[in-house]
Amino acid sequence: MASSAAADVVETELLPFIRVYKSGRVERLLGTDTVPASFDAPTGVASKDVVIDPATGVSVRLYLPPAAAASGGEGKKLPVLVYFHGGGFMVETAASPTYHRYLNALAAHAGVLAVSVEYRRVPEHPLPAAYDDSWAALAWAVAGTAPGCPEPWLAAHGDASRVFLAGDSAGANIAHNVALRAAAEGLPRPCAAIVGVLLVHPYFWDPTNAMTPALEVRIRREWRFMCARPDAEVDDPRFCPTCAEAAPLLAALPCKRAMLAVAGDDFLAVKGRAYYAALLASGWRGEAELVDTPGQDHVFHLMRPGTEAAAEMLDRVAGFISRA
């Protein structure tokens, strides 16, 4: 009995996300509900799940909008949006009601074929697993747009020359890192191009913007937990793209346009604004847009989808995509 009780002692607690016990048991405190892929009658969007790597179990949820019915041969295909969900690398999934609802709405509103990535999460799979899985999903999606490929939705409707990367919070961090990897390694089809990157309320660090000592301790602790390394530092270029070592890399962002969205009451907003400023100062030759929503908190558009502010954010994101 004593050993059993000891094993159930909390070893790590990161509220409001997760508890990890000495026994190894992981208790996720939010983002655990899931819904199946389906046809969504209000939007007319169909979805399905596809395992892209049986060895790791990594999968994607594909969303096909009504606009697919009007797409025909080459030149009439749909942009491909590869989306990375948030949740601090710890919680939420591509199948959560929050993201399923949002991707249905976005796919319909923007007329885009969406690929929502189910990457492996910490602590069972410390970083860089989420980055590697997300890169694999992008490569799979791009390769799948080639004629004759086995995934029929991508092969018939996906336009590899109009790829967008997007994510919120930790997912925005992933989108940034996957974009830079694409710049360094290239994409699997010569015709493929990332034309836009959308970073919504990104989970970044920035050394020039102070925060309260308690909040700084919390963020440093989270990053070490995510990396499963007690010596992991927040100036890691993956987490701090505005640090001296990483900022010059922003010039290589492989897209023509970027959208940075921040919420005025979100403590991460100052980090997002710093990223936007560093991108402009880097020598990057694309067009950057900052969407700064006052009086709103982190991922308000996902938490309160029926509000006017959420509808406006959906319009901004869809408009960014439709200009491709």
Side-chain angles (χ1 to χ4, degrees):
M1 290 292 291
S3 61
S4 175
D8 216 36
V9 170
V10 174
E11 183 174 63
T12 302
E13 184 176 66
L14 294 173
L15 298 177
F17 301 112
I18 204 164
R19 290 191 189 100
V20 181
Y21 295 84
K22 288 187 178 295
S23 64
R25 181 167 67 93
V26 175
E27 181 185 11
R28 290 183 166 85
L29 305 175
L30 55 83
T32 58
D33 292 340
T34 61
V35 293
S38 60
F39 175 76
D40 184 62
T43 61
V45 173
S47 59
K48 65 178 176 180
D49 296 328
V50 182
V51 175
I52 68 168
D53 186 348
T56 62
V58 174
S59 65
V60 298
R61 178 163 290 186
L62 300 179
Y63 293 85
L64 192 67
S71 69
E74 206 67 33
K76 297 182 180 179
K77 294 189 175 184
L78 305 178
V80 176
L81 171 71
V82 182
Y83 192 91
F84 312 104
H85 70 79
F89 299 102
M90 298 176 252
V91 298
E92 293 289 1
T93 71
S96 81
T98 297
Y99 287 100
H100 187 68
R101 177 178 57 239
Y102 180 68
L103 268 297
N104 274 322
L106 181 56
H109 205 50
V112 67
L113 197 167
V115 181
S116 185
V117 182
E118 181 74 353
Y119 55 82
R120 290 172 295 171
R121 300 171 298 176
V122 302
E124 297 92 339
H125 304 282
L127 296 178
Y131 295 131
D132 292 340
D133 294 347
S134 298
W135 168 251
L138 170 61
W140 175 87
V142 168
T145 61
C149 281
E151 173 38 57
W153 287 5
L154 281 168
H157 303 292
D159 183 353
S161 70
R162 292 186 294 160
V163 175
F164 289 84
L165 304 182
D168 64 278
S169 196
N173 176 297
I174 292 173
H176 159 77
N177 282 286
V178 169
L180 289 185
R181 185 164 174 179
E185 300 184 19
L187 294 172
R189 293 193 67 197
C191 65
I194 297 172
V195 296
V197 173
L198 301 95
L199 309 182
V200 179
H201 309 169
Y203 180 66
F204 289 140
W205 177 266
D206 177 73
T208 63
N209 293 290
M211 57 179 62
T212 65
L215 189 53
E216 181 172 336
V217 168
R218 170 189 152 186
I219 298 300
R220 289 180 181 274
R221 186 168 173 245
E222 285 179 356
W223 183 246
R224 288 167 182 160
F225 176 77
M226 293 164 185
C227 297
R229 284 179 42 217
D231 62 340
E233 294 296 342
V234 291
D235 62 357
D236 184 320
R238 299 172 301 179
F239 190 35
C240 186
T242 55
C243 290
E245 178 188 347
L249 300 176
L250 293 173
L253 202 66
C255 56
K256 299 176 182 177
R257 294 187 295 120
M259 186 177 111
L260 225 299
V262 299
D265 293 346
D266 181 5
F267 77 90
L268 290 172
V270 68
K271 315 298 185 185
R273 295 187 193 109
Y275 180 100
Y276 174 75
L279 179 61
L280 294 181
S282 70
W284 177 66
R285 297 185 178 183
E287 173 191 341
E289 175 184 356
L290 178 65
V291 178
D292 199 331
T293 308
Q296 298 291 340
D297 209 339
H298 193 60
V299 296
F300 66 89
H301 60 299
L302 299 177
M303 298 298 99
R304 297 181 294 280
T307 63
E308 182 178 341
E312 183 178 343
M313 176 62 76
L314 181 64
D315 285 343
R316 295 295 291 268
V317 172
F320 180 87
I321 295 170
S322 65
R323 292 197 302 273

